[in-house]
Amino acid sequence: MAVRAIAVLGSTGSIGLSTLDVIARHPDRYSVFALTAHTRVQELFEQCVAYRPVHAVLGSEKAAGQLRKLCKEHGLSVEVHHGPDALNQVASDTAVDTVVAAIVGAAGLLSTLAAAQAGKRILLANKEALVMSGQLLMQAAKASGALIMPVDSEHNAIFQSLPATKEGVSTAGIEKILLTASGGPLRNLTQEELAVVTPQQALKHPNWSMGPKISIDSATMMNKGLEVIEACQLFDVNVDDVQVVVHPESIIHSMVSYADGSVIAQMGRPDMRTPIAHALAWPERISSGVQPLNLFEVSGLHFEEPDTIRFPLLRLAFEAQREGGTAPTILNAANEVVVDAFLNERVAFLQLSELVEQTLACSKISPASDLSTIIEADSLARETVQRLITQIAV
Ligand code: NAD
Ligand code: MG
């Protein structure tokens, strides 16, 4: 069996760490070609020591210089680079078989697109790339023969619940995609309680341990909204064929309901190493380090309808996807900015959805036909929401 060379983009993040944990269990199958981080030099250095990549990429020249120095002092022959072009380069290098797209936010778009154009197997965690530019990414993958494997646990579950074809999966005969949601850490709070939620409260997810941006998105349920759009793009289904089901235990990771009344679900412990191992090895199966699910320990499986009154960002995501064009791009860009502002205590929890809604209302929606239109819509939305933020006081 040939050893597959992997580029892990965003290797110091939550998904990056889980990926390296799985890869380390299978040195006979996988080798690390490139590791990338934004600012965390020391962590990336430690990963270089452990995984001996050919290339490492950081966000700035200064950070790259620091890593280069550390590698030299320790006799490591890693080629160190910095910036977006270097990310694109390692994502599309001919030596690479698999690219793990685990950068958070729009910052991951161009490298994911480069991997798609270069025909790689892409382990897609970076859902924002697909939300802002789904059509372009899917078209690029189709044209080059790239295989996009969903790592997001719900989409990986859907993939596993659909019939496999040579190119991936087929949605023939499906009635609905049932996208499960934990409901996040604030699921049971009243509107009054939500009004005074702090970043610390919102960051505490009951079932999953994740990076700060996606943790806040889980608290607002925007994560589920982004995932609705992600599902439409990945599986080429209509937004109204996706139903969100709140399932607080996070044991069922999503389901597919078929025309004949069958419902197929994928279950497992809430540990991202399961979807990562699945996406790495598909159509084979490999161990992931995750303990088997003990059903006798599961207290019960519960299901509720989502509440879009308390969590309006979920409604806005459905609306943006129905509207199409650059509406999801604008939704995503405004959300990234407001999440950052909330984490820095510049806006209150309930203002997150208000600001995104206002940004969408005053933005021009265009057909999302090319990359420059998407990038322009993204930056205009960021400017608009920044302006709206400066007009309000917490
Ligand atoms: P994280 O914040 O833990 O890690 C983000 C990684 O991206 C880090 O390695 C960081 O160095 C890098 N990065 C950040 N900004 C960058 C920039 N401007 N340029 C280059 N690199 C940059 O995030 P995470 O929780 O691992 O999430 C990563 C992606 O995976 C997100 O899109 C998230 O929605 C998705 N995802 C995460 C989980 C999870 O369990 N954590 C589950 C499903 C999907
Ligand atoms: Mg998810």
Side-chain angles (χ1 to χ4, degrees):
M1 184 176 40
V3 174
R4 291 213 234 133
I6 305 196
V8 186
L9 312 182
S11 63
T12 54
S14 162
I15 292 290
L17 293 174
S18 293
T19 304
L20 291 174
D21 183 281
V22 177
I23 289 174
R25 292 165 195 276
H26 303 281
D28 54 325
R29 282 177 175 261
Y30 307 113
S31 70
V32 176
F33 178 78
L35 295 173
T36 87
H38 195 40
T39 53
R40 296 186 197 157
V41 176
Q42 186 59 30
E43 272 134 292
L44 191 58
F45 168 66
E46 283 159 22
Q47 292 185 343
C48 288
V49 173
Y51 296 96
R52 306 290 165 129
V54 182
H55 299 278
V57 183
L58 277 153
S60 68
E61 195 172 353
K62 187 171 166 228
Q66 291 167 345
L67 180 63
R68 215 171 275 126
K69 188 163 169 273
L70 279 169
C71 288
K72 202 171 166 205
E73 282 165 11
H74 291 79
L76 282 185
S77 61
V78 183
E79 286 182 42
V80 183
H81 320 266
H82 72 272
D85 288 348
L87 285 176
N88 298 348
Q89 178 55 46
V90 295
S92 57
D93 196 292
T94 48
V96 170
D97 173 272
T98 299
V99 174
V100 182
I103 291 176
V104 58
L109 173 64
L110 295 181
S111 49
T112 307
L113 199 53
Q117 285 161 345
K120 306 300 183 193
R121 173 182 289 227
I122 303 172
L123 267 59
L124 189 78
N126 180 210
K127 64 190 85 180
E128 295 90 349
L130 207 52
V131 169
M132 65 190 289
S133 144
Q135 223 178 320
L136 283 188
L137 254 175
M138 297 309 287
Q139 276 168 1
K142 206 170 178 189
S144 70
L147 173 65
I148 299 191
M149 291 296 299
V151 161
D152 211 348
S153 56
E154 296 77 4
H155 305 76
N156 185 269
I158 295 161
F159 187 101
Q160 295 199 48
S161 304
L162 289 169
T165 65
K166 263 194 180 149
E167 298 80 34
V169 286
S170 153
T171 49
I174 75 161
E175 193 254 342
K176 252 189 177 32
I177 283 180
L178 305 176
L179 190 73
T180 56
S182 69
L186 313 177
R187 179 172 62 93
N188 292 319
L189 265 53
T190 63
Q191 195 78 1
E192 293 70 36
E193 288 166 332
L194 288 175
V196 292
V197 157
T198 63
Q200 288 67 30
Q201 277 172 285
L203 282 168
K204 277 205 191 90
H205 199 281
N207 306 338
W208 300 94
S209 144
M210 313 180 285
K213 196 262 175 181
I214 183 174
S215 296
I216 300 302
D217 284 345
S218 299
T220 61
M221 288 202 72
M222 177 55 138
N223 184 46
K224 215 44 57 181
L226 297 175
E227 289 185 357
V228 167
I229 301 173
E230 184 184 8
C232 295
Q233 298 293 358
L234 280 172
F235 304 113
D236 195 19
V237 294
N238 194 283
V239 66
D240 293 308
D241 293 335
V242 183
Q243 185 179 344
V244 174
V245 178
V246 176
H247 163 49
E249 292 87 7
S250 298
I251 296 292
I252 295 179
H253 298 305
S254 277
M255 299 168 263
V256 178
S257 168
Y258 287 90
D260 62 6
S262 302
V263 176
I264 311 275
Q266 185 263 358
M267 299 197 280
R269 290 183 189 273
D271 186 321
M272 290 307 292
R273 290 176 301 174
T274 295
I276 290 167
H278 172 268
L280 269 173
W282 184 85
E284 293 173 46
R285 295 269 179 180
I286 56 169
S287 61
S288 64
V290 177
Q291 291 303 308
L293 177 65
N294 181 348
L295 284 170
F296 302 120
E297 280 174 7
V298 177
S299 56
L301 300 175
H302 297 88
F303 306 99
E304 298 165 12
E305 267 193 62
D307 180 350
T308 52
I309 308 287
R310 282 181 305 135
F311 301 104
L313 281 166
L314 182 57
R315 167 180 59 80
L316 288 175
F318 269 95
E319 287 171 8
Q321 180 62 11
R322 258 181 227 123
E323 176 134 23
T326 51
T329 315
I330 295 162
L331 171 93
N332 176 67
N335 181 60
E336 283 192 30
V337 174
V338 294
V339 167
D340 191 60
F342 175 68
L343 284 168
N344 290 299
E345 300 185 25
R346 291 178 58 215
V347 301
F349 187 81
L350 293 178
Q351 288 171 322
L352 294 171
S353 58
E354 289 166 14
L355 285 159
V356 173
E357 184 150 29
Q358 285 168 23
T359 308
L360 275 161
C362 61
S363 298
K364 181 174 159 276
I365 314 292
S366 320
S369 45
D370 57 77
L371 189 59
S372 59
T373 307
I374 286 162
I375 289 173
E376 193 185 314
D378 174 273
S379 55
L380 262 177
R382 284 169 200 269
E383 279 170 32
T384 306
V385 74
Q386 286 288 11
R387 206 171 44 243
L388 292 170
I389 291 171
T390 53
Q391 284 166 10
I392 54 164
V394 182

